[in-house]
């Protein structure tokens, strides 16, 4: 077991991630899209814990699954791909230190690409049958990669929250990073959007999972994730998520 | 006169109890469920335009609009909806280990009065949307 402290954040590795792996972030954000997608992926690909992230800035909680205690923010892997998921809403004061640590660790472990999975708040989501997915590429080669695989790139706007901070740090450090966003509800858990984002992940990186079980469990997920969604909504409000409704400067 | 005084005192006491309850909820974080009543509080979004208040609620496991009861008054909306099956959380959360839920219930105080005769509501795939027209008081003034 190795431990690395980056400021207020500690990353503990139970086993080392292979060089050249993909790091898939599924952190609580719009519609819990990333959280739902990442936890489904981890289960279907039989991923195991390879480490966790801890900090005094996180809520003072632990989580229990099948009688086993787990850290709420942990890294799971199947050898060639890693998933970072959080079972707690991330407090605004923890976002920047966490983002820096995640990118620092990705560079240390020579991660090929960071992929953040999330939702794009869509006011008329009720009338959207199949959510579309758009992508953001931090580096030029990321944008070209998205376009060459037929994924629509979002051309104008703001991104706010933990994924924005990860993107910022990746940009500063020259780390390849893509954000995939599916049209989703802002404040309701959205398994339909999570399924769309997983299908795009498969299209780009061959991470293949059958999303039918996810869609079949959609209502159950919507009921059981209500409390996490509510807590996430509170933190989204405080972390300037409203910027995503703001058109950016036109002349620059 | 004595009756008026007692009535006023009763209303004052109810208002103080309501404020204390809200403060406790704020301090401790009220769960989105009433275990004693067997009801869940649905996730709700409220959006305002100059003309309307638009409320949406996420009601998974509610099968049809016939399972939804919607009551609207000038300053309040109340929604009750029947869940098609008993919902339990004991497999994911021991806080709810003896609880079973068969209904959603939510009462919302509106930020402005609305016209009760002009309410529209629709229900689709477990989502309820209620559109309320604001009661406008005032006159239009021509800008010179």
């Amino acid at each position: 077991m190795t431990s690395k402290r980056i400021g207020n954040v500690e990353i503990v590795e139970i086993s080392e991630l292979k060089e050249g792996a993909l790091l898939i972030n599924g952190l609580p954000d719009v519609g819990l899209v990333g959280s739902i997608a990442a936890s489904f992926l981890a289960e279907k690909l039989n991923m195991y814990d390879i480490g966790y992230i801890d900090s005094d800035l996180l809520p003072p909680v632990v989580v229990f699954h099948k009688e086993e205690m787990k850290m709420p923010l942990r890294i799971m892997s199947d050898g060639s791909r890693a998933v970072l998921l959080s079972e707690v809403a991330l407090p605004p004061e923890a976002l920047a230190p966490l983002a820096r640590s995640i990118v620092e660790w990705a560079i240390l472990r020579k991660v090929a690409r960071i992929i953040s999975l999330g939702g794009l708040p869509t006011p008329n989501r009720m009338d959207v049958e199949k959510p579309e997915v758009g992508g953001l590429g931090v580096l030029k080669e990321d944008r070209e990669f998205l376009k060459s695989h037929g994924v629509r790139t979002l051309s104008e706007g703001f991104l706010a929250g933990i994924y924005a901070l990860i993107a910022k740090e990746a940009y500063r450090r020259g780390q390849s990073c893509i954000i995939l966003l599916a049209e989703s509800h802002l404040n309701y858990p959205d398994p339909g959007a999570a399924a769309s984002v997983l299908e795009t992940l498969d299209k780009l990186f061959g991470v293949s999972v059958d999303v039918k079980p996810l869609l079949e469990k959609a209502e159950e997920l919507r009921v059981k994730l209500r409390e996490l969604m509510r807590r996430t909504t509170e933190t989204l409000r405080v972390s300037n998520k409203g910027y995503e409704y703001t058109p950016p400067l036109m002349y620059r | 006169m004595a009756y008026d005084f007692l009535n006023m005192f009763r209303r004052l006491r109810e208002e103080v109890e309501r404020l204390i309850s809200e403060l406790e909820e704020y301090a401790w974080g009220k769960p989105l469920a009433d275990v004693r009543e067997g009801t869940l509080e649905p996730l709700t979004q409220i959006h305002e335009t100059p003309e309307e208040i638009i409320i949406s609620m996420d009601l998974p496991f509610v099968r049809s609009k016939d399972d939804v009861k919607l009551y609207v008054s000038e300053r309040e909306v109340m929604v009750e909806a029947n869940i098609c099956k008993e919902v339990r959380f004991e497999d994911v959360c021991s806080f709810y280990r003896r609880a079973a839920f068969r209904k959603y219930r939510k009462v919302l105080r509106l930020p402005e009065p609305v016209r009760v005769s002009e309410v529209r509501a629709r229900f689709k795939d477990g989502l309820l949307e209620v559109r309320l027209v604001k009661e406008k008081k005032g006159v239009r003034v021509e800008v010179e």
Side-chain angles (χ1 to χ4, degrees):
Chain A
M1 198 184 275
T2 58
S3 162
K4 185 171 172 67
R5 183 162 276 279
I6 303 155
N8 294 339
V9 178
E10 188 184 16
I11 300 186
V12 176
E13 290 172 282
I14 301 162
S15 52
E16 215 173 274
L17 183 65
K18 262 192 226 167
E19 207 176 289
L22 294 176
L23 173 61
I24 300 163
N25 291 326
L27 299 170
D29 199 68
V30 170
L32 294 180
V33 172
S35 302
I36 296 170
S39 57
F40 183 75
L41 199 64
E43 188 189 300
K44 290 302 165 196
L45 295 180
N46 296 314
M47 289 190 172
Y48 45 89
D49 290 353
I50 63 160
Y52 60 85
I53 299 179
D54 197 19
S55 170
D56 289 347
L57 298 169
L58 292 175
V61 300
V62 291
V63 62
F64 283 84
H65 288 296
K66 295 177 184 164
E67 300 177 351
E68 196 184 332
M69 196 197 100
K70 303 268 187 186
M71 293 298 220
L73 185 53
R74 57 188 182 278
I75 309 165
M76 304 178 78
S77 179
D78 65 354
S80 59
R81 299 163 285 212
V83 154
L84 170 63
L85 57 88
S86 174
E87 297 200 62
V88 293
L90 302 173
E93 60 272 21
L95 298 185
L98 278 174
R100 277 194 290 274
S101 322
I102 289 164
V103 176
E104 169 73 28
W105 179 76
I107 291 169
L108 194 69
R109 289 288 163 252
K110 296 187 171 49
V111 157
R113 201 170 246 133
I114 298 174
I115 305 144
S116 297
L117 306 180
L120 192 65
T122 304
N124 63 338
R125 170 71 177 97
M126 196 170 169
D127 300 314
V128 173
E129 289 297 331
K130 177 120 176 88
E132 282 183 18
V133 178
L136 291 166
V138 168
L139 305 180
K140 189 175 171 207
E141 54 257 40
D142 296 323
R143 293 189 288 280
E144 282 162 3
F145 177 79
L146 287 168
K147 285 175 187 165
S148 67
H149 285 77
V151 175
R152 183 173 62 94
T153 49
L154 303 172
S155 59
E156 299 284 338
F158 283 102
L159 180 70
I162 181 70
Y163 291 154
L165 291 167
I166 291 171
K168 246 167 88 160
E169 189 66 17
Y171 179 85
R172 277 174 13 116
R173 306 286 300 270
Q175 165 67 43
S176 172
C177 178
I178 276 171
I179 303 110
L180 296 176
L181 301 172
E183 292 175 306
S184 76
H185 291 294
L186 171 62
N187 294 328
Y188 304 145
D190 198 336
S196 283
V197 101
L198 285 172
E199 284 170 341
T200 304
L201 191 68
D202 183 13
K203 186 172 161 178
L204 289 168
F205 301 105
V207 182
S208 181
V209 285
D210 178 12
V211 297
K212 201 154 156 265
L214 175 59
L215 294 168
E216 283 166 0
K217 263 181 94 170
E219 281 184 301
E220 193 181 328
L221 287 166
R222 281 161 64 189
V223 159
K224 292 193 173 167
L225 293 174
R226 282 151 57 259
E227 292 283 1
L228 178 58
M229 186 73 255
R230 180 179 68 156
R231 290 177 198 284
T232 302
T233 298
E234 284 162 21
T235 62
L236 289 178
R237 199 170 31 88
V238 179
S239 38
N240 288 309
K241 202 67 178 172
Y243 257 107
E244 291 186 1
Y245 315 139
T246 310
L249 193 63
M250 284 170 65
Y251 301 108
R252 54 201 170 275
Chain B
M1 191 166 153
Y3 178 77
D4 286 342
F5 175 76
L6 287 172
N7 222 12
M8 185 187 76
F9 190 74
R10 181 184 57 77
R11 283 201 303 272
L12 186 61
R13 192 187 66 202
E14 281 170 3
E15 184 64 16
V16 169
E17 281 172 2
R18 187 187 66 77
L19 285 168
I20 290 171
S21 176
E22 279 184 21
L23 193 63
E24 280 173 346
E25 286 171 14
Y26 178 77
W28 300 109
K30 176 176 166 284
L32 290 171
D34 188 330
V35 172
R36 283 171 304 177
E37 299 288 325
T39 57
L40 295 175
E41 185 181 325
L43 291 174
T44 305
Q45 278 175 188
I46 303 177
H47 173 65
E48 272 191 75
T49 69
E51 287 80 35
E52 282 186 315
I53 297 170
I54 303 157
I55 295 168
S56 76
M57 284 186 192
D58 194 25
L59 302 171
F61 290 125
V62 175
R63 285 285 169 262
S64 98
K65 61 185 171 105
D66 299 324
D67 294 315
V68 180
K69 291 194 189 92
L70 171 65
Y71 303 95
V72 179
S73 66
E74 246 190 22
R75 289 303 294 255
E76 204 172 80
V77 166
M78 206 265 276
V79 171
E80 275 187 358
N82 295 325
I83 301 173
C84 70
K85 64 172 211 176
E86 197 171 76
V87 169
R88 288 178 174 272
F89 294 94
E90 57 212 348
D91 57 329
V92 293
C93 180
S94 19
F95 180 82
Y96 294 113
R97 61 191 172 282
R98 293 186 210 278
F101 302 95
R102 289 304 303 254
K103 213 179 242 203
Y104 289 104
R105 191 169 189 278
K106 176 92 182 183
V107 178
L108 270 168
R109 188 137 178 87
L110 298 170
E112 285 184 45
V114 297
R115 289 188 203 154
V116 172
S117 57
E118 291 184 47
V119 179
R120 286 175 296 140
R122 63 175 179 141
F123 181 78
K124 185 184 172 197
D125 298 331
L127 282 160
L128 174 69
E129 183 186 84
V130 183
R131 301 186 87 103
L132 305 135
V133 175
K134 290 179 179 176
E135 184 68 76
K136 278 200 183 143
K137 288 184 170 61
V139 296
R140 183 174 170 176
V141 175
E142 283 296 327
V143 177
E144 291 174 29

